[in-house]
Amino acid sequence: MIGRSEEYAKMFQLEGQLWWYRSLHERVFMTLQGAFGRRRDIRILDAGCGTGGMLDFLRRQGYTHLRGIDGSADAVAFCHERGFPVTFINLTNLADFEPETQYDAIICNDVFCYFTETDLPPLLSALADRLKPRGILVSNNNAFKAFEGQHDIAVGIRRRFVLADFEQLMPQAGLQIQHATYWSFLLSPLILLMRQWQRLQLRLGWQKPEEAQSDVYLPVAWLNETLYRIAQTEQKLLRRTPFGSSLFIIVDSH
Ligand SMILES: C[S@@+](CC[C@H](N)C(=O)[O-])C[C@H]1O[C@@H](n2cnc3c(N)ncnc32)[C@H](O)[C@@H]1O
């Protein structure tokens, strides 16, 4: 993804409106509220913060200690435009980033998919090192290979996860999974159908891989709002679901 300026521009433009981002941001916010109640002075790091949509959402909820890091110059520039203290750094060098600072919450959404099997365990250990004793790591991730589509090609996703992957990886990093759910379960048939159609188009040569586009685009307003309501209802009523294109986990130190 790094280097694809047009993808960052789309993200920056749409993340405040697109149903998927709105649902994710609310999910993270609910998690922070669940863990820290009404406190707004907790120290939060968004690791791989992209163009700053998550930070922007949290700032609007009143959080005051927000910090971000990202390995894309495009992403960092957009975050600076929004006025966030975001540092350009490759997460493989996380240990060098303000080593004395620890966080109550680290958010790392849709970043692990860019790491190889060799690079991910050290990253998780480095993230664990930066958590305060009662701190939490909140992470959304691409799930299930069945959901692979043009989106994966367009944004350079290396892998998709299932819960068993993290059940193995987290304890090795001194972390334990407190809560995990796939989402959006209710919308998964629709998303699956769309992604399978994208794959068929690629297989038949109707779509060139080098011209693949991400799923970051705004549908018509009524559809965007309907998808958002469905995802929001699921989040309220179904705390844990067994299937979906994303896997949301909350992790804490042993
Ligand atoms: C799919 S985007 C997600 C952005 C943001 N977390 C969100 O939820 O919108 C992945 C982000 O991870 C960043 N990234 C990927 N590999 C990285 C690395 N090795 N070091 C730092 N950032 C990285 C990319 O620049 C991008 O901003």
Side-chain angles (χ1 to χ4, degrees), residues 1-3 8 11 15 20-21 24-25 46-54 69-73 75 89-93 107-115 140 142 151 155 157:
M1 171 152 189
I2 292 175
Y8 291 96
M11 200 195 293
E15 60 195 338
W20 189 88
Y21 281 112
L24 175 60
H25 294 166
D46 191 348
C49 59
T51 53
M54 182 78 250
I69 48 178
D70 201 282
S72 150
I89 187 169
N90 189 325
L91 277 167
T92 49
N93 303 323
I107 301 163
C108 195
N109 286 339
D110 295 294
V111 174
F112 296 155
C113 59
Y114 295 104
F115 283 72
N140 193 66
N142 308 282
H151 178 81
V155 300
I157 292 171

Side-chain angles (χ1 to χ4, degrees), residues 3-11 74 154 212-213:
R4 295 203 60 167
S5 300
E6 75 283 6
E7 288 298 338
Y8 291 96
K10 278 197 282 182
M11 200 195 293
D74 292 301
Q213 292 292 312

Side-chain angles (χ1 to χ4, degrees), residues 190-202:
L190 187 71
I191 298 171
L192 195 57
L193 203 68
M194 207 178 93
R195 296 281 169 85
Q196 294 289 334
W197 169 239
Q198 292 179 355
R199 271 155 73 167
L200 185 67
Q201 286 178 303
L202 284 166

Side-chain angles (χ1 to χ4, degrees), residues 4 8 21 26 55-56 66 75 83 96 112 124 147 217 234:
R4 295 203 60 167
Y8 291 96
Y21 281 112
E26 277 175 23
L55 292 171
D56 190 45
L66 296 165
D96 301 333
F112 296 155
L124 294 176
F147 287 100
Y217 60 85
E234 172 179 318

